[in-house]
Amino acid sequence: MRVLLAEDDDGVAGALTEALYDNGHQPARVRRGEDVLARHRQADLLLLDLGLPDLDGLEVLRKLRAVSALPVVVLTARGDERSVVRGLRLGADDYLVKPVRLAELLARIEAVTRRATAPAAPAPRTVRVADVEVDLDARRVTVGGAEVRLTAKEFEVLAALAARAGTAVSRQQLMDEVWGDAFLAVSRSLDVHLTQVRAKLGRPEVLTTIRGFGYRFGD
């Protein structure tokens, strides 16, 4: 698998890169937290050191979890209970303290990947909230039985929310899914498209704005 390794120590990074490569993985090493946020979409798993030179690794993890479910294994010298608990609560899939035995690291990577790729129950492909129906496969929206014409981007914004109906979705996650990178997307574009979607649906109550976080489709 494609493993993104965030490690600023050249010696540690070299040893890990070699071990990952020898065991059939495709490692790519970065030194900074900003590089993780820019390149996470190119990886199947992230090995994250917390002592990065530009951003604390826990802050990187927090920002990453706002936009991605990428499996993350923290590999760090911080072994205090507070750091371990905080890392897991922020969304790390596993937490290992250096030095770690190579066999254990590879086994943990395998276990995390197995959990992440386990088949999930199929999500409903047609979502209905009140009299608004979103057919995710046919890319069709009806309100009260009448079809509503949305642009491609408007539909993608609505579909990203409808696929998680009843769940709060962050602005960063919406931009990441619809525009491809939350850190490059223009926030104003999302506002404009949501305003258009609300106007075309004519049902402002089905799209809730969650101040300071994002949006929810339905209750």
Side-chain angles (χ1 to χ4, degrees):
M1 78 180 74
R2 299 171 301 170
V3 178
L4 185 61
L5 171 62
E7 172 62 67
D8 68 331
D9 185 297
D10 291 337
V12 173
L16 287 173
T17 297
E18 183 177 350
L20 290 167
Y21 182 80
D22 287 345
N23 283 271
H25 300 297
Q26 301 172 37
R29 184 261 183 117
V30 294
R31 292 177 172 82
R32 304 184 313 126
E34 289 293 344
D35 296 329
V36 173
L37 300 177
R39 296 178 58 179
H40 72 272
R41 297 174 68 89
Q42 303 166 21
D44 302 311
L45 180 136
L46 169 64
L47 275 180
L48 177 64
D49 181 29
L50 299 185
L52 300 176
D54 59 334
L55 290 174
D56 184 83
L58 292 174
E59 178 65 9
V60 174
L61 181 58
R62 186 189 68 77
K63 289 186 174 184
L64 180 66
R65 278 294 172 257
V67 298
S68 174
L70 178 71
V72 177
V73 175
V74 171
L75 183 59
T76 180
R78 291 187 207 170
D80 60 285
E81 184 179 3
R82 181 181 179 187
S83 293
V84 175
V85 170
R86 194 166 169 224
L88 293 172
R89 284 181 174 171
L90 284 172
D93 296 274
D94 208 339
Y95 193 111
L96 295 174
V97 178
K98 297 175 183 175
V100 63
R101 290 171 295 185
L102 178 59
E104 180 183 0
L105 173 61
L106 294 171
R108 296 288 188 100
I109 289 174
E110 182 180 337
V112 166
T113 306
R114 192 164 55 242
R115 290 196 299 269
T117 57
R125 299 303 297 174
T126 299
V127 181
R128 187 178 181 90
V129 173
D131 64 345
V132 178
E133 189 170 283
V134 183
D135 188 326
L136 299 172
D137 292 322
R139 297 178 66 89
R140 186 170 181 263
V141 180
T142 59
V143 178
E147 186 167 358
V148 174
R149 300 288 184 180
L150 300 180
T151 67
K153 271 288 186 285
E154 288 167 357
F155 180 84
E156 288 167 14
V157 170
L158 179 59
L161 291 166
R164 302 169 181 79
T167 301
V169 182
S170 72
R171 290 177 62 86
Q172 290 86 354
Q173 188 169 359
L174 278 174
M175 290 188 290
D176 198 64
E177 288 192 18
V178 176
W179 279 271
D181 194 329
F183 299 95
L184 297 178
V186 178
S187 183
R188 180 64 181 151
S189 296
L190 176 60
D191 296 331
V192 170
H193 283 85
L194 276 165
T195 298
Q196 290 295 106
V197 170
R198 279 197 173 103
K200 290 182 178 181
L201 293 181
R203 301 289 189 274
E205 69 278 4
V206 304
L207 271 175
T208 303
T209 299
I210 302 171
R211 188 176 298 277
F213 181 77
Y215 306 90
R216 183 180 66 244
F217 181 66
D219 295 326

